[in-house]
Amino acid sequence: MTCLCQQLAGDDIELSPVCIGNHWIFKNLEPDEIKALSHDAMRKKLTKGQALFLQGDPADEMFLIKGGHIKLSKVLEDGTELMLDIRKAGDFVGENMFSEESLYPVSAFCLEDTLTCGFSRSQFEALVLQYPRVGLRIIKTLSERISSLTDRVGSLAASNIEDRLYRVLCNVAKEHGAKSPQGIVIQFPLTHEDLGFLTGAHRVSITRAMKALKDSGKILFQGRRLILPTLKMA
Amino acid sequence: MTCLCQQLAGDDIELSPVCIGNHWIFKNLEPDEIKALSHDAMRKKLTKGQALFLQGDPADEMFLIKGGHIKLSKVLEDGTELMLDIRKAGDFVGENMFSEESLYPVSAFCLEDTLTCGFSRSQFEALVLQYPRVGLRIIKTLSERISSLTDRVGSLAASNIEDRLYRVLCNVAKEHGAKSPQGIVIQFPLTHEDLGFLTGAHRVSITRAMKALKDSGKILFQGRRLILPTLKMA
DNA sequence: TGTAAATTGTAACATCTGCTACAGACACTC
DNA sequence: GAGTGTCTGTAGCAGATGTTACAATTTACA
């Protein structure tokens, strides 16, 4: 099945092989269903730094990420920014559309050039009603997101920064890492400032903690890529 | 509809009005469906301190809490305990059964005498396939859990304990609080040690932070019940 | 009621972290 | 290669937090 996304993306964006037509969520759909869905999906091409949606926007759309990484962040009452999550090609963003609140509680920014497929809430509900198995798959996806967030909460509860940082790195590696002979490699660069947002710590404290982790052998560097040698993939 | 739970619970447990037969998740089911479901549900009566399930147990059952509070906690690699969540009557626990992992990643302990209704994964899947609308409701529930966990992550990212504690208290109050003329009242006692687990801070630091919050008027006490006067219910 | 256990409050001190400032390293552009 | 901006590393200080110890208070239960 040729994919409309490919034409839209051009050569700039390295697309995930996962497409709405072949994503596991939609397996077992009838060919004409896929065609209809694929046609309806609202594609968006975004460049690095652009927002897919902003905190406070009406939440009535959910997106499948076709290529690139997207960060979810939130601005707290006191004005500080907090990065909540990083999602990659093949993941969904905007699952908040299902909940009672009608506004996105977070903002989604592209870390690279990105292509997304969007679905409206009503489209989705109709699909689930017609194909209950899709509903079960969504339930599974959301359930895994809950597990991951629960881990995240566990990471943040460590009271000293070094442990907190290490646990956050492990979580990131588990979700976005790739195996290599030396350990799990995190595939994209994270600045100390990013990690500061992820751990809720000051940038300088991250630098201190990184040095400590490096000295104790818990992390390695391969160029600018971070490696966790002791971590095992789940 | 008289409920089997009532007979089992006896007079010890104050039951939630929510029952499997009338829980909003199962609205629109046929009467005989409800009857079958209600019959199949595996009820458990537990006393304070007992475990509903333990971290590492096979995760193939999910529970509706009929009465009492249940805490979810996790033992980390380094042996420290972390309290992840508190759930109340009407909530579900064990939604991990949906995800790929076959083991519960957390333990569930009863804070008071408790009655639960359990469903197996296969029971549930059959139900969702037959009644897609139930699937949509589950999706909504899980999605709200995700929002709540996201808030939780936001709370923990505050770098000073006073703010972190206040945000955690607000989250707890939003989920388990009741309105009163003076503000939102948290309905059950939380020890400083509990709050320490919830915020990832030392017990003594909680005492210090509580005093500061009390002095600044952000929290009040009515006996042992905690009141948040400035918080508005969502 | 009386006693034991759990919870809360206080203090002192060592350590950790936030904060600011600045210098070097690196990437990118012109 | 110079210029610009971003990222990383280092230092010092003030304030926050962890840690330990012990007393005061409340709760649980015989």
Side-chain angles (χ1 to χ4, degrees):
Chain A
M1 175 179 195
T2 55
C3 174
L4 185 55
C5 299
Q6 196 63 62
Q7 303 165 31
L8 277 167
D11 300 330
D12 309 333
I13 307 176
E14 184 187 345
L15 284 186
S16 147
V18 174
C19 189
I20 173 172
N22 60 14
H23 194 275
W24 61 272
I25 287 269
F26 301 106
K27 255 193 319 202
N28 299 347
L29 291 191
E30 302 298 322
D32 56 339
E33 238 332 274
I34 294 184
K35 201 169 160 191
L37 193 60
S38 171
H39 183 265
D40 286 350
M42 296 159 280
R43 290 185 182 71
K44 277 188 194 172
K45 191 175 173 181
L46 298 163
T47 55
K48 179 179 174 178
Q50 261 194 301
L52 183 58
F53 52 80
L54 291 172
Q55 186 175 351
D57 286 352
D60 46 16
E61 211 177 347
M62 184 167 127
F63 305 87
L64 173 65
I65 306 173
K66 284 292 305 167
H69 289 91
I70 287 185
K71 76 166 181 181
L72 297 181
S73 62
K74 183 170 187 150
V75 175
L76 304 174
E77 309 81 43
D78 58 7
T80 58
E81 186 195 350
L82 172 67
M83 193 195 299
L84 289 165
D85 204 357
I86 295 172
R87 308 239 171 130
K88 60 180 182 304
D91 285 347
F92 282 97
V93 287
E95 69 278 357
N96 322 86
M97 104 179 162
F98 289 119
S99 68
E100 201 63 55
E101 308 281 334
S102 56
L103 305 178
Y104 289 114
V106 298
S107 302
F109 294 101
C110 304
L111 297 176
E112 301 118 24
D113 289 0
T114 297
L115 187 69
T116 60
C117 289
F119 313 86
S120 73
R121 185 201 316 234
S122 53
Q123 250 181 324
F124 219 93
E125 290 187 350
L127 186 71
V128 169
L129 290 181
Q130 196 176 355
Y131 296 88
R133 210 161 277 285
V134 172
L136 275 183
R137 297 231 178 77
I138 304 282
I139 287 174
K140 198 171 156 186
T141 306
L142 294 182
S143 171
E144 275 159 13
R145 179 70 53 201
I146 288 177
S147 296
S148 140
L149 273 168
T150 302
D151 280 353
R152 182 77 189 288
V153 169
S155 311
L156 286 174
S159 56
N160 66 328
I161 291 196
E162 191 178 327
D163 290 355
R164 211 154 75 213
L165 176 61
Y166 182 67
R167 289 183 194 167
V168 166
L169 289 175
C170 288
N171 287 345
V172 172
K174 272 185 205 157
E175 285 190 51
H176 307 287
K179 282 184 194 177
S180 91
Q182 294 164 285
I184 310 296
V185 184
I186 295 178
Q187 298 286 30
F188 48 96
L190 281 168
T191 70
H192 288 188
E193 197 161 6
D194 290 338
L195 291 171
F197 287 137
L198 279 170
T199 52
H202 195 89
R203 200 273 302 167
V204 178
S205 302
I206 297 293
T207 302
R208 276 197 284 241
M210 287 289 262
K211 191 182 171 191
L213 288 174
K214 227 183 300 180
D215 289 350
S216 68
K218 284 187 180 173
I219 62 173
L220 293 175
F221 279 93
Q222 189 177 57
R224 305 191 60 73
R225 295 288 146 89
L226 212 137
I227 304 182
L228 293 151
T230 55
L231 183 67
K232 290 186 190 77
M233 282 296 255
Chain B
M1 176 178 194
T2 56
C3 175
L4 185 54
C5 299
Q6 195 64 61
Q7 302 165 31
L8 278 167
D11 300 330
D12 309 333
I13 306 175
E14 185 187 343
L15 285 184
S16 147
V18 174
C19 187
I20 172 173
N22 61 15
H23 195 275
W24 60 273
I25 286 271
F26 302 107
K27 255 191 318 201
N28 297 350
L29 292 192
E30 303 298 322
D32 56 338
E33 245 322 282
I34 294 184
K35 203 169 158 189
L37 192 61
S38 172
H39 184 265
D40 286 350
M42 297 158 281
R43 288 186 182 71
K44 277 188 197 172
K45 190 175 173 181
L46 298 163
T47 55
K48 179 178 174 180
Q50 261 194 300
L52 184 57
F53 52 80
L54 291 173
Q55 184 174 353
D57 287 351
D60 47 15
E61 209 177 347
M62 185 167 128
F63 304 87
L64 173 64
I65 306 172
K66 283 293 304 166
H69 289 91
I70 287 184
K71 77 166 180 180
L72 298 180
S73 63
K74 183 170 189 154
V75 176
L76 304 174
E77 309 82 44
D78 58 8
T80 57
E81 186 197 349
L82 172 66
M83 191 195 299
L84 289 165
D85 204 356
I86 294 172
R87 309 239 172 128
K88 60 180 182 304
D91 285 348
F92 282 96
V93 288
E95 69 277 359
N96 321 86
M97 104 179 164
F98 290 119
S99 69
E100 202 63 55
E101 308 282 333
S102 57
L103 305 178
Y104 288 115
V106 299
S107 302
F109 294 101
C110 304
L111 297 176
E112 299 117 26
D113 289 359
T114 298
L115 187 70
T116 61
C117 289
F119 312 85
S120 71
R121 185 202 315 236
S122 53
Q123 251 181 325
F124 218 94
E125 290 186 350
L127 186 71
V128 169
L129 290 181
Q130 195 177 354
Y131 297 88
R133 210 162 275 285
V134 173
L136 275 183
R137 296 235 178 74
I138 304 282
I139 287 174
K140 198 171 155 186
T141 306
L142 294 182
S143 171
E144 274 158 14
R145 178 73 51 200
I146 289 178
S147 296
S148 140
L149 274 168
T150 302
D151 279 354
R152 182 80 189 287
V153 170
S155 310
L156 287 173
S159 56
N160 66 327
I161 290 195
E162 192 178 328
D163 290 355
R164 213 155 72 213
L165 176 61
Y166 183 67
R167 288 183 194 169
V168 166
L169 289 175
C170 288
N171 288 345
V172 173
K174 272 185 205 156
E175 285 189 50
H176 306 287
K179 281 184 196 177
S180 93
Q182 294 164 284
I184 310 296
V185 184
I186 296 178
Q187 298 287 29
F188 50 95
L190 280 168
T191 70
H192 289 186
E193 196 161 7
D194 290 338
L195 291 171
F197 287 136
L198 280 170
T199 52
H202 196 89
R203 199 271 302 167
V204 178
S205 303
I206 297 293
T207 302
R208 274 197 285 244
M210 286 290 262
K211 192 182 170 189
L213 288 175
K214 228 184 299 180
D215 289 350
S216 68
K218 285 187 180 173
I219 63 174
L220 292 176
F221 279 93
Q222 189 176 57
R224 304 192 62 73
R225 295 287 146 90
L226 211 137
I227 304 181
L228 293 151
T230 54
L231 183 68
K232 290 186 191 79
M233 282 296 255

